[in-house]
Amino acid sequence: DAKTTQPNSMESNEEEPVHLPCNHSTISGTDYIHWYRQLPSQGPEYVIHGLTSNVNNRMASLAIAEDRKSSTLILHRATLRDAAVYYCILLKNAGGTSYGKLTFGQGTILTVHP
Amino acid sequence: DSGVTQTPKHLITATGQRVTLRCSPRSGDLSVYWYQQSLDQGLQFLIQYYNGEERAKGNILERFSAQQFPDLHSELNLSSLELGDSALYFCASSVGTQMNTEAFFGQGTRLTVV
């Protein structure tokens, strides 16, 4: 299975943009790139996902490299509420049942300073 | 609020006992997933049900079992509990099983085995 590599931790200041990188050099053509985050004492929360093109939603932007071997989650203006563990996850299609194998790695712990 | 409801929020029980964790998915979601999060193992996928049928199985112990009822709520049964079963147990739901949908997680049940 394709794996992802993320930095263990990152720090940011409030109101500044944050770029969270993820390497997935063994990604296959049908893998989707998903990002989830987990705030302290809460369940994981979907952030964004994409396949090939860059994606934007109300929470963040996802920039996907042209060769798809890396991606970057962009928080345009970090707030204290964005302090969380961010997970970059690849999902394989295995007969339509792959979603259940949402595999969380260690993620990146984002600290936001006031 | 993700729309996924888990009860109870906290549970303290003794070794050797049996407990049942309950999950109500978001309205309209047919898939339910169970995850275990412990300090040393991170988030581990246990099992997935789709419309009442088991769809995918992860690292679920034989002492654990789950089911999804006709009203789509799900229960995770943990028996012969050991100290190492102390963890956060999360339930998630999604509309289908396709990997281009997002999963919504509940707030979790914190199980403490003493």
Side-chain angles (χ1 to χ4, degrees):
Chain A
D1 285 347
K3 294 190 186 303
T4 63
T5 305
Q6 299 178 252
N8 289 333
S9 63
M10 291 186 67
E11 296 187 18
S12 173
N13 294 318
E14 209 175 1
E15 303 292 318
E16 291 184 356
V18 181
H19 291 236
L20 297 165
C22 180
N23 287 320
H24 29 79
S25 59
T26 59
I27 190 171
S28 73
T30 56
D31 284 343
Y32 280 83
I33 303 161
H34 284 244
W35 283 82
Y36 279 77
R37 72 180 185 181
Q38 187 174 20
L39 279 64
S41 302
Q42 294 192 27
E45 175 186 32
Y46 168 83
V47 178
I48 200 166
H49 77 276
L51 185 61
T52 57
S53 304
N54 294 344
V55 184
N56 300 297
N57 66 19
R58 63 175 179 82
M59 288 181 67
S61 295
L62 176 60
I64 302 173
E66 197 169 331
D67 63 5
R68 300 209 326 128
K69 293 185 177 181
S70 65
S71 61
T72 302
L73 179 70
I74 303 166
L75 306 179
H76 295 286
R77 291 180 67 191
T79 68
L80 296 178
R81 194 191 173 280
D82 291 322
V85 180
Y86 286 79
Y87 299 97
C88 170
I89 303 166
L90 301 183
L91 293 183
K92 280 203 165 299
N93 184 358
T97 62
S98 66
Y99 206 95
K101 297 183 179 66
L102 194 62
T103 304
F104 291 84
Q106 294 305 306
T108 296
I109 300 172
L110 175 65
T111 301
V112 180
H113 299 289
Chain B
D1 182 9
S2 67
V4 178
T5 304
Q6 289 188 247
T7 57
K9 286 188 169 42
H10 301 275
L11 199 49
I12 302 176
T13 189
T15 54
Q17 296 298 304
R18 181 179 188 275
V19 297
T20 298
L21 312 183
R22 182 187 169 101
C23 169
S24 293
R26 287 192 329 151
S27 176
D29 284 358
L30 298 179
S31 272
V32 169
Y33 316 77
W34 286 98
Y35 282 81
Q36 179 192 57
Q37 185 172 34
S38 57
L39 282 174
D40 56 344
Q41 293 290 324
L43 271 160
Q44 299 283 315
F45 167 69
L46 295 178
I47 198 163
Q48 175 198 2
Y49 277 82
Y50 176 77
N51 204 21
E53 294 186 359
E54 182 183 304
R55 266 303 184 101
K57 218 166 185 175
N59 300 321
I60 188 166
L61 299 172
E62 285 190 12
R63 300 183 285 109
F64 296 0
S65 65
Q67 59 184 126
Q68 186 178 27
F69 295 86
D71 67 352
L72 301 176
H73 91 270
S74 178
E75 292 181 356
L76 179 66
N77 299 298
L78 315 176
S79 60
S80 303
L81 285 167
E82 302 173 359
L83 295 178
D85 297 327
S86 296
L88 271 167
Y89 291 84
F90 289 105
C91 168
S93 74
S94 68
V95 171
T97 62
Q98 299 302 314
M99 63 181 176
N100 59 350
T101 61
E102 61 184 275
F104 295 87
F105 284 79
Q107 293 296 301
T109 293
R110 182 175 294 278
L111 173 66
T112 302
V113 182
V114 298

